[in-house]
Amino acid sequence: MARKRKRKATPKSRNSVFQPPGTISYVGIEREGNVATETIIYNEQSYEKFENIHLNDLKKELVHWFNIDGVHDIELLEQLGKDFNLHHLLVEDIANTTQRPKTEFFDECIFQSIKMISYDAAEHELNEEQVSILLTKNSVITFQEKTGDVFENIRERIESSRGRIRTSSNDYLFYSLIDSIIDHYFIAVEQIGEYLNDLEDEIFEEPDKESLNKVQRNKRLLLSLRRAIYPLRESISKILKEQNDLIDPKIVTYFHDAYDHCIQITETIESYREINTGLKDMYLSSVSHKMNQIMQVLTIVSSIFIPMTFVAGIYGMNFEYIPELTWEHGYQYFWIINVIIFVTLISFFKWKKWL
């Protein structure tokens, strides 16, 4: 029997609700270990990579990408907030991993909160992680919950000077990071679509109780996916509408493409939710049809044996004078009558197309 999941309040509501605004406290899955940091500095002619936060002179002609894997270290976040002159409310949002995807504009930067999603096909689960991306005047800063992300392709493009990323400024890197996360949504959505197709075949051919449990799990999974992606459309739209000196108007054009992708993914998720709802109705119809088939067989069998039982009941009565009991071939006649009844009923059922 599937264990019922209890709905719990978020850590934010339990631990941080009475704290003053701007108080930095980590909200999310409990994590331990050191925070991993990385710095990539590049332009069209040069490329450098460091395994820590390398705060040298932030030259305008160089793009600086600072990546922090782990937001549970409050002291480090406070120090980074001071180093990069970040608003205390912004740092508080970075430490809160239950944030809704959003875009906020500050004097010193643009803050983008986004969910990085991967789909575990074996367990049929979503792995969700919050990523905070900051675009400042001379750099891009990314904060992740843990090590491992979808940015390896971008790192490889920067290192190998492939594409336009090395010839562009930090606002294009800001867009590329967001676009990389959105592109991986398509992979997760495609895998979920394949799972729905397999589940549809399973329900059509051999539905069981576990099939209904899978449909219910799909409902929760698609709802979680929608909560992660649907607000992103509004967030990207805000970037398109808000004019800001940190983003070149030429780069804004690329965000139109990201916005279209968000709409496409959202529409696909809505269609999958409708399909999943249809699977539940399909399961109930399949079970009902299977039950009707069983009842049909039992009814036909009963219809065949009822007249035979009637004949057997008559000649099984304990009356002394029943003429047929003295017949020499009475037993054979009894079976001939039953065979005639059987053949007649089977022929009638086939004529009615009940068989």
Side-chain angles (χ1 to χ4, degrees), residues 66-127:
F66 304 98
N67 182 67
I68 297 91
D69 293 335
V71 293
H72 55 278
D73 190 335
I74 302 303
E75 294 182 1
L76 177 61
L77 290 184
E78 291 176 343
Q79 183 60 46
L80 289 173
K82 294 177 182 178
D83 293 338
F84 291 101
N85 192 28
L86 303 178
H87 197 282
H88 59 276
L89 290 177
L90 190 155
V91 180
E92 180 189 9
D93 286 344
I94 293 173
N96 182 4
T97 62
T98 62
Q99 285 288 334
R100 184 177 185 265
K102 63 179 181 179
T103 301
E104 292 185 350
F105 294 87
F106 294 85
D107 294 336
E108 66 277 6
C109 68
I110 298 176
F111 171 68
Q112 175 68 58
S113 173
I114 189 171
K115 298 295 182 181
M116 183 165 58
I117 291 175
S118 61
Y119 174 71
D120 187 346
E123 298 294 332
H124 186 49
E125 292 180 349
L126 279 181
N127 297 318

Short mmCIF file of all heavy atoms in Angstrom, two decimals, residues 66-127:
data_model
loop_
_atom_site.label_atom_id
_atom_site.label_comp_id
_atom_site.label_asym_id
_atom_site.label_seq_id
_atom_site.Cartn_x
_atom_site.Cartn_y
_atom_site.Cartn_z
N PHE A 66 31.63 34.34 -11.19
CA PHE A 66 31.87 33.76 -9.88
C PHE A 66 30.77 32.74 -9.58
O PHE A 66 29.59 33.10 -9.61
CB PHE A 66 31.90 34.84 -8.79
CG PHE A 66 32.89 35.93 -9.04
CD1 PHE A 66 32.48 37.14 -9.60
CD2 PHE A 66 34.23 35.76 -8.73
CE1 PHE A 66 33.39 38.16 -9.84
CE2 PHE A 66 35.15 36.78 -8.96
CZ PHE A 66 34.73 37.97 -9.52
N ASN A 67 31.16 31.51 -9.30
CA ASN A 67 30.18 30.46 -9.02
C ASN A 67 30.39 29.91 -7.60
O ASN A 67 31.52 29.57 -7.23
CB ASN A 67 30.31 29.32 -10.04
CG ASN A 67 29.27 28.23 -9.81
OD1 ASN A 67 28.08 28.47 -9.99
ND2 ASN A 67 29.69 27.06 -9.38
N ILE A 68 29.30 29.84 -6.84
CA ILE A 68 29.35 29.33 -5.47
C ILE A 68 28.40 28.14 -5.38
O ILE A 68 27.19 28.29 -5.62
CB ILE A 68 28.95 30.42 -4.44
CG1 ILE A 68 29.95 31.58 -4.48
CG2 ILE A 68 28.87 29.83 -3.04
CD1 ILE A 68 29.58 32.67 -5.43
N ASP A 69 28.94 26.98 -5.05
CA ASP A 69 28.14 25.76 -4.89
C ASP A 69 27.89 25.52 -3.40
O ASP A 69 28.73 24.97 -2.69
CB ASP A 69 28.86 24.55 -5.49
CG ASP A 69 28.97 24.65 -7.00
OD1 ASP A 69 28.13 25.33 -7.61
OD2 ASP A 69 29.90 24.06 -7.58
N GLY A 70 26.72 25.94 -2.94
CA GLY A 70 26.37 25.80 -1.53
C GLY A 70 26.01 27.14 -0.93
O GLY A 70 26.83 28.06 -0.92
N VAL A 71 24.78 27.27 -0.43
CA VAL A 71 24.32 28.53 0.17
C VAL A 71 23.99 28.34 1.65
O VAL A 71 23.31 29.18 2.25
CB VAL A 71 23.09 29.08 -0.59
CG1 VAL A 71 23.47 29.50 -1.99
CG2 VAL A 71 21.96 28.06 -0.63
N HIS A 72 24.44 27.21 2.22
CA HIS A 72 24.16 26.95 3.63
C HIS A 72 25.19 27.59 4.55
O HIS A 72 25.00 27.61 5.77
CB HIS A 72 24.12 25.44 3.88
CG HIS A 72 25.36 24.72 3.44
ND1 HIS A 72 25.57 24.34 2.12
CD2 HIS A 72 26.48 24.33 4.11
CE1 HIS A 72 26.74 23.73 2.02
NE2 HIS A 72 27.32 23.72 3.23
N ASP A 73 26.27 28.12 3.99
CA ASP A 73 27.29 28.78 4.79
C ASP A 73 26.93 30.27 4.90
O ASP A 73 27.22 31.07 4.01
CB ASP A 73 28.67 28.61 4.13
CG ASP A 73 29.81 29.06 5.03
OD1 ASP A 73 29.57 29.90 5.91
OD2 ASP A 73 30.94 28.57 4.85
N ILE A 74 26.28 30.63 6.00
CA ILE A 74 25.78 32.00 6.17
C ILE A 74 26.93 33.00 6.26
O ILE A 74 26.85 34.11 5.70
CB ILE A 74 24.89 32.09 7.43
CG1 ILE A 74 23.71 31.11 7.31
CG2 ILE A 74 24.38 33.51 7.61
CD1 ILE A 74 22.86 31.33 6.10
N GLU A 75 28.00 32.64 6.92
CA GLU A 75 29.14 33.55 7.05
C GLU A 75 29.74 33.90 5.68
O GLU A 75 30.09 35.06 5.42
CB GLU A 75 30.21 32.94 7.95
CG GLU A 75 29.78 32.78 9.40
CD GLU A 75 30.88 32.21 10.26
OE1 GLU A 75 31.99 31.97 9.72
OE2 GLU A 75 30.66 32.01 11.47
N LEU A 76 29.83 32.89 4.82
CA LEU A 76 30.36 33.15 3.48
C LEU A 76 29.42 34.06 2.70
O LEU A 76 29.88 34.97 1.99
CB LEU A 76 30.55 31.82 2.74
CG LEU A 76 31.03 31.92 1.29
CD1 LEU A 76 32.39 32.60 1.22
CD2 LEU A 76 31.09 30.54 0.63
N LEU A 77 28.11 33.82 2.81
CA LEU A 77 27.16 34.67 2.10
C LEU A 77 27.25 36.12 2.58
O LEU A 77 27.19 37.05 1.77
CB LEU A 77 25.73 34.14 2.30
CG LEU A 77 25.37 32.82 1.61
CD1 LEU A 77 23.90 32.49 1.83
CD2 LEU A 77 25.66 32.89 0.11
N GLU A 78 27.38 36.30 3.89
CA GLU A 78 27.49 37.66 4.42
C GLU A 78 28.75 38.34 3.91
O GLU A 78 28.74 39.53 3.56
CB GLU A 78 27.49 37.62 5.94
CG GLU A 78 26.14 37.22 6.53
CD GLU A 78 26.19 37.10 8.04
OE1 GLU A 78 27.32 37.00 8.58
OE2 GLU A 78 25.11 37.12 8.68
N GLN A 79 29.85 37.58 3.83
CA GLN A 79 31.09 38.15 3.35
C GLN A 79 31.00 38.50 1.87
O GLN A 79 31.45 39.57 1.43
CB GLN A 79 32.25 37.16 3.58
CG GLN A 79 33.62 37.68 3.18
CD GLN A 79 34.00 38.93 3.96
OE1 GLN A 79 33.83 38.99 5.18
NE2 GLN A 79 34.51 39.95 3.25
N LEU A 80 30.39 37.60 1.08
CA LEU A 80 30.22 37.89 -0.35
C LEU A 80 29.30 39.08 -0.56
O LEU A 80 29.49 39.88 -1.48
CB LEU A 80 29.66 36.66 -1.06
CG LEU A 80 30.61 35.47 -1.21
CD1 LEU A 80 29.89 34.26 -1.77
CD2 LEU A 80 31.80 35.83 -2.10
N GLY A 81 28.28 39.20 0.30
CA GLY A 81 27.39 40.35 0.20
C GLY A 81 28.14 41.65 0.41
O GLY A 81 27.87 42.66 -0.28
N LYS A 82 29.10 41.65 1.33
CA LYS A 82 29.91 42.84 1.56
C LYS A 82 30.88 43.08 0.40
O LYS A 82 31.06 44.22 -0.04
CB LYS A 82 30.67 42.70 2.87
CG LYS A 82 29.78 42.67 4.11
CD LYS A 82 30.61 42.46 5.37
CE LYS A 82 29.72 42.38 6.61
NZ LYS A 82 30.51 42.13 7.83
N ASP A 83 31.51 41.99 -0.07
CA ASP A 83 32.49 42.14 -1.15
C ASP A 83 31.87 42.69 -2.43
O ASP A 83 32.49 43.50 -3.13
CB ASP A 83 33.16 40.79 -1.44
CG ASP A 83 34.03 40.32 -0.28
OD1 ASP A 83 34.44 41.17 0.54
OD2 ASP A 83 34.29 39.10 -0.19
N PHE A 84 30.65 42.23 -2.74
CA PHE A 84 30.00 42.65 -3.98
C PHE A 84 28.97 43.75 -3.75
O PHE A 84 28.22 44.09 -4.68
CB PHE A 84 29.32 41.44 -4.65
CG PHE A 84 30.29 40.43 -5.19
CD1 PHE A 84 30.56 39.27 -4.48
CD2 PHE A 84 30.93 40.63 -6.39
CE1 PHE A 84 31.44 38.31 -4.96
CE2 PHE A 84 31.82 39.69 -6.89
CZ PHE A 84 32.08 38.53 -6.18
N ASN A 85 28.90 44.26 -2.52
CA ASN A 85 27.99 45.35 -2.20
C ASN A 85 26.53 44.98 -2.53
O ASN A 85 25.81 45.73 -3.19
CB ASN A 85 28.39 46.63 -2.95
CG ASN A 85 27.66 47.86 -2.43
OD1 ASN A 85 27.28 47.91 -1.27
ND2 ASN A 85 27.46 48.84 -3.31
N LEU A 86 26.10 43.80 -2.07
CA LEU A 86 24.75 43.31 -2.34
C LEU A 86 23.79 43.74 -1.25
O LEU A 86 24.15 43.80 -0.07
CB LEU A 86 24.76 41.77 -2.44
CG LEU A 86 25.69 41.16 -3.48
CD1 LEU A 86 25.61 39.64 -3.42
CD2 LEU A 86 25.37 41.66 -4.87
N HIS A 87 22.56 44.01 -1.63
CA HIS A 87 21.53 44.41 -0.67
C HIS A 87 21.26 43.23 0.28
O HIS A 87 21.25 42.07 -0.13
CB HIS A 87 20.26 44.80 -1.42
CG HIS A 87 19.29 45.58 -0.59
ND1 HIS A 87 18.46 44.99 0.34
CD2 HIS A 87 19.03 46.92 -0.56
CE1 HIS A 87 17.72 45.92 0.91
NE2 HIS A 87 18.04 47.10 0.39
N HIS A 88 21.02 43.54 1.56
CA HIS A 88 20.84 42.48 2.55
C HIS A 88 19.59 41.65 2.27
O HIS A 88 19.54 40.46 2.56
CB HIS A 88 20.79 43.05 3.97
CG HIS A 88 19.69 44.05 4.18
ND1 HIS A 88 19.83 45.38 3.85
CD2 HIS A 88 18.45 43.92 4.69
CE1 HIS A 88 18.72 46.03 4.15
NE2 HIS A 88 17.87 45.16 4.66
N LEU A 89 18.55 42.26 1.68
CA LEU A 89 17.36 41.49 1.31
C LEU A 89 17.66 40.51 0.18
O LEU A 89 17.11 39.41 0.12
CB LEU A 89 16.22 42.43 0.90
CG LEU A 89 15.59 43.26 2.01
CD1 LEU A 89 14.54 44.21 1.43
CD2 LEU A 89 14.97 42.37 3.07
N LEU A 90 18.55 40.91 -0.72
CA LEU A 90 18.95 40.04 -1.81
C LEU A 90 19.70 38.82 -1.27
O LEU A 90 19.44 37.68 -1.69
CB LEU A 90 19.82 40.82 -2.80
CG LEU A 90 20.18 40.17 -4.14
CD1 LEU A 90 20.47 41.25 -5.16
CD2 LEU A 90 21.37 39.25 -4.02
N VAL A 91 20.62 39.04 -0.34
CA VAL A 91 21.37 37.94 0.24
C VAL A 91 20.43 37.00 1.01
O VAL A 91 20.59 35.78 1.00
CB VAL A 91 22.48 38.46 1.18
CG1 VAL A 91 23.27 37.31 1.79
CG2 VAL A 91 23.41 39.39 0.42
N GLU A 92 19.42 37.57 1.65
CA GLU A 92 18.43 36.75 2.34
C GLU A 92 17.69 35.84 1.35
O GLU A 92 17.45 34.66 1.63
CB GLU A 92 17.43 37.64 3.07
CG GLU A 92 16.36 36.86 3.84
CD GLU A 92 15.25 37.74 4.37
OE1 GLU A 92 15.21 38.93 4.00
OE2 GLU A 92 14.42 37.24 5.14
N ASP A 93 17.34 36.38 0.19
CA ASP A 93 16.66 35.57 -0.84
C ASP A 93 17.55 34.46 -1.36
O ASP A 93 17.08 33.37 -1.68
CB ASP A 93 16.21 36.46 -2.00
CG ASP A 93 15.01 37.33 -1.64
OD1 ASP A 93 14.35 37.02 -0.62
OD2 ASP A 93 14.74 38.31 -2.35
N ILE A 94 18.85 34.72 -1.47
CA ILE A 94 19.78 33.70 -1.95
C ILE A 94 19.82 32.51 -0.99
O ILE A 94 19.86 31.35 -1.41
CB ILE A 94 21.20 34.30 -2.14
CG1 ILE A 94 21.20 35.32 -3.28
CG2 ILE A 94 22.22 33.20 -2.41
CD1 ILE A 94 22.51 36.08 -3.41
N ALA A 95 19.79 32.80 0.32
CA ALA A 95 19.87 31.75 1.33
C ALA A 95 18.56 30.99 1.47
O ALA A 95 18.54 29.88 2.03
CB ALA A 95 20.27 32.34 2.68
N ASN A 96 17.47 31.53 0.95
CA ASN A 96 16.16 30.87 1.03
C ASN A 96 15.91 30.10 -0.26
O ASN A 96 15.56 30.67 -1.29
CB ASN A 96 15.07 31.92 1.26
CG ASN A 96 13.69 31.29 1.41
OD1 ASN A 96 13.55 30.07 1.42
ND2 ASN A 96 12.69 32.13 1.54
N THR A 97 16.09 28.78 -0.20
CA THR A 97 15.98 27.96 -1.42
C THR A 97 14.55 27.62 -1.79
O THR A 97 14.33 26.85 -2.73
CB THR A 97 16.78 26.65 -1.24
OG1 THR A 97 16.22 25.89 -0.16
CG2 THR A 97 18.24 26.94 -0.95
N THR A 98 13.58 28.15 -1.05
CA THR A 98 12.18 27.90 -1.38
C THR A 98 11.59 29.06 -2.17
O THR A 98 10.36 29.19 -2.27
CB THR A 98 11.35 27.67 -0.10
OG1 THR A 98 11.40 28.86 0.72
CG2 THR A 98 11.90 26.50 0.69
N GLN A 99 12.45 29.91 -2.72
CA GLN A 99 11.99 31.08 -3.44
C GLN A 99 11.21 30.68 -4.70
O GLN A 99 11.51 29.70 -5.37
CB GLN A 99 13.18 31.94 -3.87
CG GLN A 99 13.80 32.74 -2.75
CD GLN A 99 12.93 33.89 -2.28
OE1 GLN A 99 12.12 34.40 -3.04
NE2 GLN A 99 13.11 34.29 -1.04
N ARG A 100 10.21 31.47 -5.01
CA ARG A 100 9.51 31.37 -6.28
C ARG A 100 10.38 32.01 -7.36
O ARG A 100 11.01 33.04 -7.11
CB ARG A 100 8.18 32.11 -6.18
CG ARG A 100 7.27 32.02 -7.39
CD ARG A 100 5.97 32.75 -7.05
NE ARG A 100 4.99 32.62 -8.11
CZ ARG A 100 4.81 33.51 -9.08
NH1 ARG A 100 5.58 34.60 -9.12
NH2 ARG A 100 3.88 33.33 -10.00
N PRO A 101 10.50 31.40 -8.53
CA PRO A 101 11.30 32.03 -9.61
C PRO A 101 10.86 33.48 -9.84
O PRO A 101 9.68 33.76 -10.00
CB PRO A 101 11.00 31.15 -10.83
CG PRO A 101 10.71 29.81 -10.24
CD PRO A 101 9.98 30.08 -8.95
N LYS A 102 11.82 34.38 -9.83
CA LYS A 102 11.49 35.80 -9.95
C LYS A 102 12.70 36.58 -10.44
O LYS A 102 13.84 36.09 -10.41
CB LYS A 102 11.03 36.36 -8.60
CG LYS A 102 12.11 36.30 -7.52
CD LYS A 102 11.60 36.90 -6.20
CE LYS A 102 12.69 36.87 -5.13
NZ LYS A 102 12.23 37.47 -3.87
N THR A 103 12.43 37.80 -10.88
CA THR A 103 13.47 38.74 -11.28
C THR A 103 13.29 40.02 -10.49
O THR A 103 12.18 40.55 -10.41
CB THR A 103 13.40 39.06 -12.78
OG1 THR A 103 13.55 37.85 -13.53
CG2 THR A 103 14.49 40.03 -13.19
N GLU A 104 14.37 40.49 -9.89
CA GLU A 104 14.33 41.75 -9.14
C GLU A 104 15.48 42.64 -9.59
O GLU A 104 16.57 42.16 -9.87
CB GLU A 104 14.41 41.49 -7.64
CG GLU A 104 13.19 40.80 -7.07
CD GLU A 104 13.24 40.68 -5.57
OE1 GLU A 104 14.32 40.95 -5.00
OE2 GLU A 104 12.22 40.32 -4.96
N PHE A 105 15.18 43.94 -9.64
CA PHE A 105 16.17 44.92 -10.07
C PHE A 105 16.64 45.74 -8.87
O PHE A 105 15.82 46.32 -8.15
CB PHE A 105 15.58 45.84 -11.14
CG PHE A 105 15.24 45.14 -12.42
CD1 PHE A 105 14.00 44.52 -12.60
CD2 PHE A 105 16.16 45.08 -13.45
CE1 PHE A 105 13.68 43.88 -13.77
CE2 PHE A 105 15.85 44.43 -14.65
CZ PHE A 105 14.61 43.82 -14.80
N PHE A 106 17.93 45.74 -8.66
CA PHE A 106 18.56 46.55 -7.62
C PHE A 106 19.47 47.58 -8.29
O PHE A 106 19.77 47.49 -9.49
CB PHE A 106 19.36 45.68 -6.66
CG PHE A 106 18.52 44.74 -5.84
CD1 PHE A 106 18.14 43.49 -6.34
CD2 PHE A 106 18.09 45.09 -4.57
CE1 PHE A 106 17.37 42.62 -5.60
CE2 PHE A 106 17.31 44.24 -3.81
CZ PHE A 106 16.95 43.00 -4.33
N ASP A 107 19.90 48.53 -7.49
CA ASP A 107 20.80 49.56 -8.04
C ASP A 107 22.10 48.96 -8.54
O ASP A 107 22.66 49.41 -9.55
CB ASP A 107 21.09 50.62 -6.98
CG ASP A 107 19.86 51.43 -6.61
OD1 ASP A 107 18.94 51.49 -7.44
OD2 ASP A 107 19.82 51.97 -5.49
N GLU A 108 22.58 47.93 -7.81
CA GLU A 108 23.90 47.40 -8.14
C GLU A 108 23.85 46.14 -9.01
O GLU A 108 24.87 45.71 -9.52
CB GLU A 108 24.67 47.07 -6.85
CG GLU A 108 24.08 45.94 -6.01
CD GLU A 108 22.95 46.40 -5.10
OE1 GLU A 108 22.56 47.58 -5.21
OE2 GLU A 108 22.47 45.59 -4.29
N CYS A 109 22.65 45.55 -9.19
CA CYS A 109 22.60 44.30 -9.95
C CYS A 109 21.17 43.95 -10.34
O CYS A 109 20.20 44.59 -9.91
CB CYS A 109 23.20 43.15 -9.12
SG CYS A 109 22.21 42.71 -7.68
N ILE A 110 21.07 42.90 -11.15
CA ILE A 110 19.78 42.25 -11.47
C ILE A 110 19.83 40.86 -10.85
O ILE A 110 20.78 40.10 -11.06
CB ILE A 110 19.55 42.16 -12.98
CG1 ILE A 110 19.50 43.56 -13.60
CG2 ILE A 110 18.26 41.40 -13.29
CD1 ILE A 110 19.37 43.54 -15.11
N PHE A 111 18.79 40.54 -10.09
CA PHE A 111 18.73 39.25 -9.40
C PHE A 111 17.71 38.35 -10.08
O PHE A 111 16.56 38.73 -10.28
CB PHE A 111 18.35 39.45 -7.93
CG PHE A 111 18.04 38.19 -7.19
CD1 PHE A 111 19.03 37.27 -6.92
CD2 PHE A 111 16.74 37.92 -6.77
CE1 PHE A 111 18.75 36.10 -6.22
CE2 PHE A 111 16.45 36.76 -6.07
CZ PHE A 111 17.45 35.84 -5.81
N GLN A 112 18.16 37.15 -10.45
CA GLN A 112 17.28 36.16 -11.08
C GLN A 112 17.29 34.88 -10.25
O GLN A 112 18.34 34.26 -10.07
CB GLN A 112 17.74 35.85 -12.51
CG GLN A 112 16.93 34.74 -13.20
CD GLN A 112 15.50 35.18 -13.47
OE1 GLN A 112 15.27 36.17 -14.14
NE2 GLN A 112 14.54 34.42 -12.93
N SER A 113 16.13 34.52 -9.73
CA SER A 113 15.97 33.24 -9.03
C SER A 113 15.28 32.28 -9.99
O SER A 113 14.25 32.61 -10.59
CB SER A 113 15.13 33.43 -7.76
OG SER A 113 14.84 32.18 -7.17
N ILE A 114 15.85 31.08 -10.14
CA ILE A 114 15.34 30.11 -11.11
C ILE A 114 15.56 28.70 -10.57
O ILE A 114 16.47 28.47 -9.77
CB ILE A 114 16.05 30.31 -12.48
CG1 ILE A 114 15.40 29.47 -13.57
CG2 ILE A 114 17.54 30.02 -12.36
CD1 ILE A 114 15.93 29.78 -14.97
N LYS A 115 14.69 27.79 -10.98
CA LYS A 115 14.79 26.40 -10.54
C LYS A 115 15.51 25.57 -11.61
O LYS A 115 15.13 25.58 -12.79
CB LYS A 115 13.41 25.80 -10.30
CG LYS A 115 12.61 26.50 -9.20
CD LYS A 115 13.26 26.34 -7.84
CE LYS A 115 12.41 27.00 -6.75
NZ LYS A 115 13.03 26.88 -5.41
N MET A 116 16.57 24.89 -11.18
CA MET A 116 17.27 23.96 -12.08
C MET A 116 16.68 22.57 -11.84
O MET A 116 16.69 22.08 -10.71
CB MET A 116 18.77 23.99 -11.79
CG MET A 116 19.60 23.11 -12.73
SD MET A 116 21.37 23.51 -12.61
CE MET A 116 21.69 23.23 -10.87
N ILE A 117 16.21 21.94 -12.90
CA ILE A 117 15.43 20.70 -12.77
C ILE A 117 16.06 19.60 -13.60
O ILE A 117 16.50 19.80 -14.74
CB ILE A 117 13.97 20.93 -13.22
CG1 ILE A 117 13.25 21.83 -12.21
CG2 ILE A 117 13.22 19.62 -13.37
CD1 ILE A 117 11.86 22.21 -12.62
N SER A 118 16.09 18.41 -13.02
CA SER A 118 16.45 17.19 -13.75
C SER A 118 15.45 16.11 -13.37
O SER A 118 14.89 16.13 -12.27
CB SER A 118 17.88 16.75 -13.43
OG SER A 118 18.01 16.45 -12.05
N TYR A 119 15.25 15.17 -14.28
CA TYR A 119 14.26 14.11 -14.07
C TYR A 119 14.97 12.78 -13.90
O TYR A 119 15.79 12.38 -14.73
CB TYR A 119 13.30 14.06 -15.26
CG TYR A 119 12.31 12.92 -15.20
CD1 TYR A 119 11.28 12.90 -14.28
CD2 TYR A 119 12.42 11.84 -16.08
CE1 TYR A 119 10.39 11.85 -14.23
CE2 TYR A 119 11.53 10.79 -16.05
CZ TYR A 119 10.51 10.81 -15.11
OH TYR A 119 9.63 9.76 -15.08
N ASP A 120 14.65 12.09 -12.80
CA ASP A 120 15.19 10.76 -12.52
C ASP A 120 14.20 9.73 -13.05
O ASP A 120 13.17 9.47 -12.42
CB ASP A 120 15.40 10.58 -11.01
CG ASP A 120 16.13 9.28 -10.67
OD1 ASP A 120 16.22 8.40 -11.56
OD2 ASP A 120 16.59 9.13 -9.52
N ALA A 121 14.50 9.16 -14.23
CA ALA A 121 13.58 8.22 -14.87
C ALA A 121 13.42 6.95 -14.06
O ALA A 121 12.33 6.35 -14.04
CB ALA A 121 14.06 7.90 -16.29
N ALA A 122 14.49 6.48 -13.39
CA ALA A 122 14.42 5.23 -12.63
C ALA A 122 13.45 5.35 -11.45
O ALA A 122 12.65 4.45 -11.19
CB ALA A 122 15.81 4.84 -12.14
N GLU A 123 13.52 6.48 -10.73
CA GLU A 123 12.66 6.69 -9.56
C GLU A 123 11.41 7.49 -9.89
O GLU A 123 10.53 7.64 -9.04
CB GLU A 123 13.45 7.41 -8.46
CG GLU A 123 14.65 6.64 -7.94
CD GLU A 123 14.26 5.37 -7.22
OE1 GLU A 123 13.15 5.32 -6.67
OE2 GLU A 123 15.09 4.41 -7.23
N HIS A 124 11.35 7.98 -11.12
CA HIS A 124 10.24 8.84 -11.54
C HIS A 124 10.06 10.01 -10.55
O HIS A 124 8.99 10.21 -9.98
CB HIS A 124 8.94 8.04 -11.67
CG HIS A 124 7.79 8.84 -12.25
ND1 HIS A 124 7.93 9.59 -13.39
CD2 HIS A 124 6.51 9.02 -11.83
CE1 HIS A 124 6.78 10.19 -13.65
NE2 HIS A 124 5.91 9.87 -12.71
N GLU A 125 11.14 10.75 -10.37
CA GLU A 125 11.14 11.89 -9.46
C GLU A 125 11.83 13.09 -10.10
O GLU A 125 12.68 12.94 -10.98
CB GLU A 125 11.87 11.54 -8.15
CG GLU A 125 11.16 10.52 -7.29
CD GLU A 125 11.93 10.21 -6.02
OE1 GLU A 125 13.12 10.62 -5.92
OE2 GLU A 125 11.36 9.56 -5.13
N LEU A 126 11.44 14.26 -9.63
CA LEU A 126 12.10 15.48 -10.07
C LEU A 126 13.16 15.87 -9.06
O LEU A 126 12.92 15.86 -7.84
CB LEU A 126 11.08 16.63 -10.18
CG LEU A 126 10.21 16.72 -11.43
CD1 LEU A 126 9.32 17.94 -11.33
CD2 LEU A 126 11.05 16.79 -12.69
N ASN A 127 14.33 16.19 -9.55
CA ASN A 127 15.38 16.75 -8.70
C ASN A 127 15.41 18.25 -8.96
O ASN A 127 15.72 18.70 -10.06
CB ASN A 127 16.74 16.11 -9.03
CG ASN A 127 16.75 14.62 -8.73
OD1 ASN A 127 16.23 14.19 -7.71
ND2 ASN A 127 17.33 13.84 -9.62
#
